Structures are given as C-alpha cells and as structure tokens.
Amino acid sequence: MTIHRMDNVGIVVDDLDAAVAFFTALGMELEGRMPIEGDWAGRVVGLSDMRSEIAMMRIPDAPGRLELATYHAPTSIIPEPAVTPANTLGLHRVMFAVDDIEATLARLRPLGGELVGEVTRFEDSFLLCYLRGPSGIILALAEQLN
C-alpha cells in the first residue's frame, strides 16, 4: 500500500469568516468555499443531519492546504478547558515556515493571534514560536536564520 500525498489538514472553527481572514493574513489564499451537507456527508463524519460550510485555504505556489470547517448542525462541541495546553492529546499544531516571524506576528495580532509562549531562538538555525489563532487553533511559526 502506498500513500500518494497528504491533501489537507481539517480544522473546525466557530467563525469561518474570522478564520479565513486570519489565514489570509498569514499568507494563504482562499481556494474555495462551499456548504457540505446531506446524507452522504453525515455518513462520512458520523453525524446525523449534518450541515457545515468549508473554506479551503492553500499556500501560494506550494503544496499544503487547510480545510477550515464550521458546523451549523449539529453545533460544534467546545472542549474543556476551552483553551487547551500544548500537551493536550490529539492534533497538536500546524507549523508554517515564514520569512519574517515578527512581521507575521504583527499581521496576525490584530486578528486575535496571541503568542502561547515567546519567540525563541533555536541555536543559529531558527526563530520559533507557538501562536494561538481563531477557535484556539495553535500554529507554530518558524523563521530560518541561515
């Protein structure tokens, strides 16, 4: 058995417009947006009477996409605690390589981006940080120094 590629990472958000704006400010592009509903969709995700909307975000001129989804029915479940720490089981974070970590943070802060810890240097190789975005999503940003 061979895996051909990873198509996307799916993230459930409470405000799809805010999430699209946040990832656009990060540098991604909206590839498309559409409702997802019907019996077939509910059978795939295991939810009855499922109605959702997705926005597919892509990295310009590079592989990698995020599928942002919001659920209209049934309503989304908020984890406890709502803001989970970095060692919570499950999806941990999505990492992006950026040209300028400080400029990226400056673009994302007005859209609700908050540092989880601090911007830290790893040897002479990278500046790294964790950033909490819409719906508590944790992003990692990495700026290569050399």
Side-chain angles (χ1 to χ4, degrees):
M1 185 169 122
T2 303
I3 295 175
H4 297 283
R5 67 182 174 271
M6 185 180 85
D7 283 336
N8 65 64
V9 173
I11 301 174
V12 177
V13 298
D14 61 350
D15 185 336
L16 193 57
D17 292 329
V20 167
F22 184 87
F23 285 102
T24 299
L26 178 62
M28 298 186 85
E29 295 177 346
L30 178 63
E31 187 174 79
R33 190 168 169 161
M34 64 185 286
I36 303 290
E37 57 187 51
D39 187 52
W40 71 270
R43 287 195 322 267
V44 169
V45 298
L47 296 171
S48 299
D49 302 319
M50 196 254 339
R51 288 184 306 105
S52 67
E53 184 179 3
I54 65 165
M56 190 65 73
M57 305 296 294
R58 67 181 180 84
I59 299 169
D61 303 319
R65 293 188 285 172
L66 288 179
E67 179 182 298
L68 303 172
T70 190
Y71 282 84
H72 303 295
T75 57
S76 298
I77 296 170
I78 299 171
E80 288 294 327
V83 177
T84 58
N87 64 340
T88 302
L89 295 177
L91 181 64
H92 181 62
R93 52 112 177 112
V94 179
M95 180 175 263
F96 293 93
V98 297
D99 290 333
D100 182 335
I101 207 166
E102 290 298 335
T104 302
L105 290 170
R107 287 195 315 273
L108 297 177
R109 281 186 176 118
L111 298 169
E114 288 182 23
L115 282 173
V116 171
E118 56 189 64
V119 177
T120 305
R121 178 182 293 267
F122 172 70
E123 298 177 349
D124 290 328
S125 302
F126 291 96
L127 289 177
L128 301 164
C129 72
Y130 276 17
L131 176 76
R132 195 172 301 281
S135 300
I137 299 165
I138 297 177
L139 306 180
L141 303 178
E143 176 186 337
Q144 190 166 357
L145 298 174
N146 298 339

